[in-house]
Amino acid sequence: MTIKFRTVFGDKKPVIAMVHLSPLPGSPLYDPDGGVQAIVEAARRDLRALQAADVDAVMFGNENDRPYELKVDTASTATMAYVIGQLRSEIEKPFGVNVLWDPMASVALAAATGASFLREILTGTYASDMGPWTPNAGAAMRYRDRLHRPDVAMLANVSAEFAYSLDRRELSDRARSAVFSSIPDAILVSGAITGEAAEMTDLISVKKVLPTTPVLANTGVKHATVADVLKVADGCIVGSSLKVDGDTWKPVDPERAAEFMRLAKAARGD
């Protein structure tokens, strides 16, 4: 387990819960009548519910800024920084950020807000819904260090959602290579889109070749599967399962979140 990962999350298998921000200014689904303050209040409600459920960490993301971009509007990053700043005094857990799908924006946001970690696609070449996708881990990590935040843990997703890898090596080989070449602090394994589960065979194969690197399930972990996932993975990132009716675009359901954490803690032996 990497030093930075342990520093942020301790020795447990963390449950990192998503605070999915409402659509941001400049995105097609933005609500100008509610404005930015409505985004802050919705995020505050979700944050409070997740912390009351005792999740191990939270992550702020702009999942509803559809259609997604590979280089986001500056307004998106600026608004996310504002929202997190408004909530900063209320955040009791380690927190991270993810600006879809722009590693440089995620690094900038993490540096500006004091985030402990970020999630991104950092390696590979993909054909995606957003067009050709070629992230640059070297540029993102050098940018992080230029902003004097080498402590920010980089969680690298090696099975990009909404995309098809043009690198036809086995996922386990791509993950092992990414750890060697791009020194992430954890590897994430995903399903095809948000809310869809990663294949257990993928989690098993990646963890087998990376016994000392944290490997987390990034999407689709459910109440019924969290115990099995945590037998293999070193933690999980969860969003949709904690929402009302399990719907990605609805608010966090406090009861669903509390029950998920009860099951996760039992699986961990807490």
Side-chain angles (χ1 to χ4, degrees), residues 30-254:
Y30 173 63
D31 174 17
D33 294 329
V36 174
Q37 195 55 39
I39 300 173
V40 173
E41 292 307 319
R44 176 175 281 120
R45 288 192 296 271
D46 282 358
L47 174 65
R48 288 177 175 173
L50 294 172
Q51 291 186 154
D54 199 29
V55 299
D56 300 301
V58 296
M59 180 158 56
F60 296 90
N62 62 329
E63 264 78 3
N64 219 344
D65 276 0
R66 297 171 288 163
Y68 298 125
E69 300 178 293
L70 298 178
K71 184 173 177 55
V72 303
D73 190 321
T74 303
S76 298
T77 312
T79 304
M80 290 182 74
Y82 174 80
V83 172
I84 294 169
Q86 290 292 297
L87 302 177
R88 190 68 180 84
S89 64
E90 302 174 41
I91 301 174
E92 302 167 355
K93 303 287 184 176
F95 77 93
V97 297
N98 183 202
V99 187
L100 302 172
W101 295 94
D102 187 338
M104 303 299 271
S106 290
V107 169
L109 183 61
T113 59
S116 299
F117 63 96
L118 63 83
R119 173 181 67 178
E120 263 299 350
I121 304 293
L122 296 169
T123 59
T125 300
Y126 305 90
S128 79
D129 294 352
M130 295 74 69
W133 191 353
T134 54
N136 187 329
M141 289 196 175
R142 284 167 173 81
Y143 187 39
R144 176 197 64 180
D145 291 356
R146 288 203 307 275
L147 296 179
H148 304 289
R149 288 299 312 279
D151 58 302
V152 173
M154 307 282 268
L155 280 52
N157 185 0
V158 293
S159 46
E161 300 134 83
F162 313 103
Y164 176 82
S165 175
L166 300 178
D167 182 343
R168 300 320 301 151
R169 292 177 294 173
E170 295 291 335
L171 179 62
S172 57
D173 289 335
R174 288 191 278 125
R176 183 166 57 96
S177 182
V179 168
F180 185 95
S181 69
S182 302
I183 56 173
D185 299 290
I187 290 292
L188 309 179
V189 180
S190 305
I193 65 173
T194 298
E196 288 192 4
E199 295 289 343
M200 284 297 295
T201 52
D202 287 341
L203 280 172
I204 291 168
S205 67
V206 171
K207 188 59 195 173
K208 182 177 180 180
V209 300
L210 295 174
T212 63
T213 299
V215 174
L216 282 71
N218 186 49
T219 61
V221 183
K222 296 178 171 56
H223 294 68
T225 61
V226 63
D228 289 335
V229 167
L230 292 181
K231 287 178 184 176
V232 177
D234 298 298
C236 66
I237 298 173
V238 60
S240 302
S241 292
L242 310 186
K243 304 295 190 71
V244 173
D245 300 326
D247 185 332
T248 303
W249 312 120
K250 291 184 178 179
V252 169
D253 181 332

Side-chain angles (χ1 to χ4, degrees), residues 250-264:
K250 291 184 178 179
V252 169
D253 181 332
E255 293 184 2
R256 287 179 68 98
E259 177 62 9
F260 189 94
M261 285 308 301
R262 185 189 70 77
L263 294 168

